[in-house]
Amino acid sequence: MSTIELTSSQKTILTALVNLHRETEDAVKGEDIAAEVDRNPGTIRNQMQSLKALQLVEGVPGPKGGYKPTANAFEALDVQTLESAAEVPLFHNDDPVEGANVEEVDLTSVHHPELCRAEIHLRGSVREFHDGDSVRVGPTPLSKLVIEGTVDGKDDTSNILILKLDSMEAPAEEPEH
């Protein structure tokens, strides 16, 4: 399948739809998406027409209706369905974050630990995170890596948190019991 180039607005709206759909598994109302991305419902309806044309969204008629992402939407956002993703716990100011899943951790400046930043790619909204909040990621499934840091920026469109790292550790191998 050729990659579909989405505008940042389409990407934001499609990401919101995918996240909201995941929570409920039902069709998502345009108003809910509008509230999630802070745009007016008319804008959402217009964007949905273009996303339907791209076969990324299907409309569901009726009182329980709204929009659902198609399988192509996940591919277009490069999001594999949740089942295949390992659960990596995420803590926000020491509270576990429900429904957020860490997809990827990019360490940006490993050579300068004092400047070390990590990009945390989330599946789920980063809206509730603010600069200065403390975040803990992990342990990751294989290396059991745990990263702690402070939010230093974020990219709402791509659901990326930028952390200033406070600590990063992977435990020593534990002997088998």
Side-chain angles (χ1 to χ4, degrees):
M1 175 178 156
S2 63
T3 50
I4 297 171
E5 285 301 312
L6 297 174
T7 65
S8 71
S9 180
Q10 286 173 325
K11 199 182 281 180
T12 301
I13 289 167
L14 193 57
T15 303
L17 171 64
V18 166
N19 290 337
L20 291 165
H21 172 69
R22 252 205 197 104
E23 287 167 21
T24 61
E25 296 293 327
D26 284 329
V28 179
K29 298 203 175 311
E31 296 78 63
D32 294 344
I33 298 168
E36 178 83 9
V37 298
D38 213 13
R39 304 250 167 81
N40 89 45
T43 307
I44 302 297
R45 278 194 294 278
N46 295 340
Q47 291 284 6
M48 284 304 174
Q49 295 311 315
S50 64
L51 291 169
K52 273 190 215 170
L54 291 167
Q55 299 180 329
L56 298 176
V57 169
E58 54 187 329
V60 180
K64 284 211 176 301
Y67 304 99
K68 279 188 171 178
T70 64
N72 293 349
F74 292 91
E75 216 164 315
L77 288 174
D78 221 17
V79 173
Q80 303 316 301
T81 42
L82 201 57
E83 287 69 54
S84 65
E87 291 290 326
V88 176
L90 178 71
F91 295 86
H92 180 205
N93 294 333
D94 287 333
D95 295 321
V97 179
E98 296 298 327
N101 195 9
V102 177
E103 296 214 297
E104 189 182 336
V105 176
D106 282 340
L107 298 172
T108 42
S109 47
V110 176
H111 299 300
H112 302 282
E114 71 281 1
L115 303 173
C116 209
R117 298 272 187 286
E119 282 186 6
I120 310 295
H121 297 245
L122 289 189
R123 184 175 300 161
S125 172
V126 296
R127 229 182 27 207
E128 302 302 321
F129 292 86
H130 304 288
D131 285 10
D133 288 357
S134 75
V135 172
R136 186 167 83 239
V137 177
T140 57
L142 292 173
S143 61
K144 303 286 184 244
L145 181 69
V146 176
I147 295 174
E148 295 187 35
T150 312
V151 177
D152 197 37
K154 63 182 181 175
D155 175 343
D156 287 305
T157 313
S158 307
N159 289 335
I160 295 173
L161 288 176
I162 295 148
L163 299 187
K164 201 157 45 179
L165 291 188
D166 300 327
S167 77
M168 186 166 75
E169 48 195 48
E173 287 295 310
E174 300 212 348
E176 295 291 316
H177 297 303

